[in-house]
Amino acid sequence: MITVSPRADEQACMGNPEPKITMSNGAAGFWIVIAAISASFGALHGLLFNDGPTLLGVIYGACVGTIVVAYERSAAFAPYRERLRRLPTPAFMLAATLSLVAVIVSAISATGSAVWALGVTDKMLPEAMMPKFSTIPFALAVSMLLVSVLRVRDLIGSETFANFILGRYHRPVSEERIFLFLDLVGSTTYAERHGDLAAQTLLKSVFSVIAEPVRHYRGRVDDYVGDQVIISWPFARGIEDARCVACVFAIRRTIEDARDQWVERFGFMPELRAALHGGSIVTADIGVDRHKIAYFGDVMNATARLEGLCRETKRSVLVSEAVLCKIPALPNGIEAEALGRHVLRGRSGEMVVHALAERRRFAVVGRPNHGCEVAASHRMA
């Protein structure tokens, strides 16, 4: 369904408020790792410029590094960071560097004040707060290194980044995964009416909204193909607590909750078609100049065809029996409707398909909501 306002194409490129997007800055484990790495650089600074690593150097390193990363990931001063990004590239680079130096100096001063107040150092307060001449260039270089690595990690995904570092897929690996294909309904029509630039702005906002539920339910965004997003889980992780299903409806609710903002900015309420399927695939690191972790196998093709079946069945969310039967219990409020066997386009075999939807008019009481039993016995109101 498409709702278009008269000036939607203009609003899409103007400064109207975007749908609320809450970006994750990592779990506690992420910040513990950042603090530990920063502490090691604090020890290295003592080794290079002083008599050796000291507890004080480790504390300074951990605190300064954590504050810098928090600033760079917009956990602090987010509006200021957003204004910087709008500057032309030369001005942005200069302003970003000067801002980073200011953050480092402020972090050193704040850490110095804290360690002096706690009695960790016997230095006078001005000496504890004042960075040494060698400290600023060292801290700036380390900060830029940390930020660069984190940006690469964010660009390709934390799990993919870890797999590249560990070399897990240098040789093809056979594994079980669940795939979720999400497709934005009406994006082609929107692009025809408002132009490619407006359509890209819309897609960027939708993809940003999708990211947080995917992280929350421990999925991984593997690829963006036009107006389609491909998300996956290791099979066991995806079916545990029905994460793969919960993620779909969390995304739909997140978009629905910002209905007024979508319509105000784009004159369009995004609607997604979703398909869940899983099984055995082969995963490999491919490419020479540009590396990518790619999947091979019939599961990928079948999931794409299942997403196409949404149009024929007029259902928004479809799941294969191969996935549904392995899920111990569907999330509360979600029910399955058996659609029977279907021959997917381009495939000779049949697939047993179920539709998923949020329960609207009634609740099933006194009976567990289990896998295929639910899929076969409960129908949507």
Side-chain angles (χ1 to χ4, degrees):
M1 180 179 71
I2 302 176
T3 306
V4 181
S5 68
R7 295 174 57 85
D9 52 338
E10 297 178 18
Q11 291 176 359
C13 299
M14 293 172 62
N16 292 336
E18 293 197 20
K20 187 177 180 180
I21 299 170
T22 54
M23 300 299 292
S24 170
N25 286 299
F30 169 83
W31 294 107
I32 291 172
V33 171
I34 291 298
I37 293 173
S38 302
S40 67
F41 279 111
L44 178 62
H45 178 271
L47 187 64
L48 294 176
F49 301 104
N50 297 317
D51 296 331
T54 62
L55 175 61
L56 196 59
V58 168
I59 294 174
Y60 271 97
C63 293
V64 173
T66 303
I67 292 171
V68 167
V69 171
Y71 164 74
E72 284 292 329
R73 292 178 69 82
S74 298
F77 304 107
Y80 173 73
R81 295 276 302 159
E82 185 60 33
R83 286 195 292 271
L84 281 185
R85 292 191 185 98
R86 297 173 187 169
L87 296 174
T89 301
F92 168 77
M93 293 179 65
L94 177 61
T97 302
L98 293 176
S99 298
L100 188 56
V101 171
V103 170
I104 290 170
V105 173
S106 300
I108 292 173
S109 298
T111 304
S113 299
V115 297
W116 178 83
L118 294 172
V120 178
T121 179
D122 54 1
K123 297 179 180 179
M124 299 296 291
L125 179 59
E127 186 182 0
M129 294 178 59
M130 184 65 64
K132 294 182 178 179
F133 178 77
S134 61
T135 302
I136 300 299
F138 179 83
L140 183 61
V142 170
S143 298
M144 288 182 170
L145 175 62
L146 276 176
V147 169
S148 299
V149 171
L150 287 174
R151 285 181 180 172
V152 172
R153 172 185 176 272
D154 291 340
L155 182 65
I156 66 177
S158 58
E159 192 171 338
T160 303
F161 180 76
N163 289 330
F164 272 129
I165 297 298
L166 298 174
R168 180 181 177 188
Y169 297 121
H170 286 174
R171 293 183 178 181
V173 175
S174 178
E175 59 183 1
E176 299 280 322
R177 294 192 77 86
I178 294 174
F179 289 93
L180 167 62
F181 279 43
L182 292 172
D183 186 63
L184 180 61
V185 180
S187 60
T188 302
T189 303
Y190 186 88
E192 290 172 352
R193 292 183 179 182
H194 306 296
D196 292 336
L197 181 60
Q200 178 57 38
T201 305
L202 170 66
L203 286 174
K204 181 179 178 182
S205 295
V206 173
F207 293 163
S208 296
V209 168
I210 288 172
E212 176 57 26
V214 172
R215 278 193 293 262
H216 180 77
Y217 289 100
R218 300 182 62 192
R220 182 173 83 195
V221 175
D222 288 309
D223 208 354
Y224 299 100
V225 183
D227 59 0
Q228 189 176 76
V229 187
I230 301 175
I231 300 161
S232 74
W233 293 260
F235 207 101
R237 185 198 300 172
I239 64 172
E240 184 181 3
D241 299 326
R243 285 193 181 99
C244 59
V245 173
C247 181
V248 175
F249 289 93
I251 290 170
R252 291 169 64 86
R253 283 191 294 269
T254 301
I255 292 175
E256 179 64 30
D257 289 345
R259 172 181 288 273
D260 292 342
Q261 290 109 306
W262 291 111
V263 174
E264 179 185 353
R265 186 171 187 230
F266 297 102
F268 177 88
M269 178 59 201
E271 184 178 329
L272 296 172
R273 285 190 293 260
L276 277 166
H277 181 47
S280 180
I281 50 95
V282 172
T283 310
D285 177 1
I286 62 172
V288 178
D289 294 328
R290 181 182 182 276
H291 287 261
K292 177 182 178 180
I293 293 178
Y295 303 109
F296 302 91
D298 182 62
V299 170
M300 296 291 290
N301 179 59
T303 311
R305 301 305 186 192
L306 183 62
E307 187 275 317
L309 189 64
C310 291
R311 301 180 184 89
E312 300 176 26
T313 59
K314 294 180 171 57
R315 301 294 195 279
S316 296
V317 183
L318 295 181
V319 59
S320 69
E321 190 167 79
V323 171
L324 187 62
C325 282
K326 299 293 179 64
I327 296 176
L330 290 173
N332 186 37
I334 306 301
E335 60 184 10
E337 176 190 5
L339 300 181
R341 296 180 178 273
H342 287 264
V343 177
L344 302 181
R345 184 167 56 87
R347 303 180 78 247
S348 57
E350 293 182 330
M351 177 185 288
V352 180
V353 178
H354 305 269
L356 298 177
E358 291 188 269
R359 190 178 297 119
R360 296 293 184 183
R361 299 182 185 174
F362 67 95
V364 177
V365 179
R367 187 173 183 179
N369 199 9
H370 287 292
C372 295
E373 178 186 355
V374 171
S377 62
H378 293 310
R379 301 287 179 168
M380 288 172 56

